[in-house]
Amino acid sequence: MTETTPDLAPSDLECRDLVKEFSEFRAVDGVSFDVPQGSFFSILGPSGCGKTTLLRMIAGFQSPTSGDLLIKGRSMIGVPPNKRPVSMVFQHLALFPTMNIGENVGFGLRQRGVARAEIKRRVGEVLERVGLPGVSERRVDQLSGGQKQRVAIARCMVLEPDVLLLDEPLGALDLKLREHMKVELKALQAAFNTTFVYITHDQSEALVMSDNIAVMNKGRFEQIGTPQEVYHAPRTAFVAGFVGDANRIPVQVVDATGGTLTLKTGGGAPLKLDAAAQGSADWRPGQRAEVFLRPEAVDLLPAGSEQAEAANMVPGVVDAVLFNGANSTVTVRASDGSLMTAALPQTGVLAALRKGDAVTTRWHPSQARCYPVAEG
């Protein structure tokens, strides 16, 4: 899929029909996108989808098979990594344990032949900006995991790159620190007003930090959009299933006229969706499809609330209640054996809900997305 990010700001990074082949395998398959200046752009996808290969091409560590890559309007094809206006933060940070913090941060400046006094001044300034004043003489092993992350970013930002590349930098941190660093990274990006290109397989990282997200699958971008667009209006079944949790309901098309897409489940339950929200698929009666529905869009009603032939209301029995703190996840089993998951706050119907209770699941026609199932 070829598209550009929906923003009118000038682009710091542009990729045009970028392809990378290894023998007969295409790791990156015709990717095109723009990253506006000063934005946080995430490339999200599963392991092996091509996102690291794409990042390495931007950095200059690998050359594209075809296509073009521009930074500030200048083509980077043939430009070596050390001549590109980019810096890169790796997952394992690659800090030098034999150097103190100031020496680590100033390493790139020394490589460029910057005067010692100027290095000291710039190192002090950038450490101040990342919230680590006065640590220049400390050793790397004297810092916490979050502080090491900020030193790695300071080492890049002291070089004043146009684009900062981040290769899953939170992957090695524990869960609590990872949650904290999501907020810190976004704040640092805004403070420096530098374009960040961030790759991850963790959809929560991308949703929290990004201005725009590109969802990558098998070497291609399936969708580029804001976190809200990618989450609430996924363009493909892959995006709907990969970004966030979703109930997946196999269905068959009954009718697609009058602005309503009418479906039925394997157990015969009628479902109705807003046809306009389902994209441009050419629906036909009898066609196989799959509905994706977020757990937070599902309501639970007391048993007997369903009406005869009522759409999107399916009776069932509580199969499990999983406590998650402020919310709980409730799994409901319908009479045909299918399962529906609802995410509910610890109030109302959930307060007294137990396994085995009879309930009815309900959801609004605008809340679900339906995608055709490929024949065969």
Side-chain angles (χ1 to χ4, degrees), residues 331-346:
T331 303
V332 177
R333 186 178 297 275
S335 58
D336 64 355
S338 63
L339 297 174
M340 178 76 75
T341 298
L344 301 171
Q346 306 290 354

Side-chain angles (χ1 to χ4, degrees), residues 102-124:
E103 290 168 339
N104 263 283
V105 175
F107 178 79
L109 295 176
R110 291 197 302 276
Q111 296 296 105
R112 293 183 177 181
V114 177
R116 182 176 300 179
E118 177 67 5
I119 291 175
K120 184 177 180 179
R121 182 188 68 79
R122 288 171 63 174
V123 167

Side-chain angles (χ1 to χ4, degrees), residues 29-74:
D29 190 7
V31 167
S32 295
F33 64 99
D34 297 347
V35 181
Q37 191 278 325
S39 64
F40 198 122
F41 185 85
S42 290
I43 301 171
L44 172 66
S47 297
C49 72
K51 58 186 185 295
T52 296
T53 300
L54 177 56
L55 201 73
R56 289 177 63 82
M57 285 193 288
I58 297 171
F61 300 139
Q62 291 180 334
S63 299
T65 304
S66 62
D68 202 359
L69 188 158
L70 302 93
I71 297 177
K72 293 289 189 182
R74 177 191 170 203

Side-chain angles (χ1 to χ4, degrees), residues 219-272:
R220 291 177 174 266
F221 283 178
E222 300 226 352
Q223 183 173 356
I224 300 177
T226 66
Q228 294 80 4
E229 290 167 344
V230 169
Y231 187 82
H232 291 297
R235 291 186 184 175
T236 68
F238 176 82
V239 175
F242 188 77
V243 180
D245 296 324
N247 293 290
R248 303 175 68 153
I249 311 169
V251 294
Q252 189 175 55
V253 176
V254 175
D255 184 65
T257 59
T260 299
L261 180 61
T262 304
L263 313 162
K264 66 177 180 180
T265 67
L271 305 180
K272 291 186 182 294

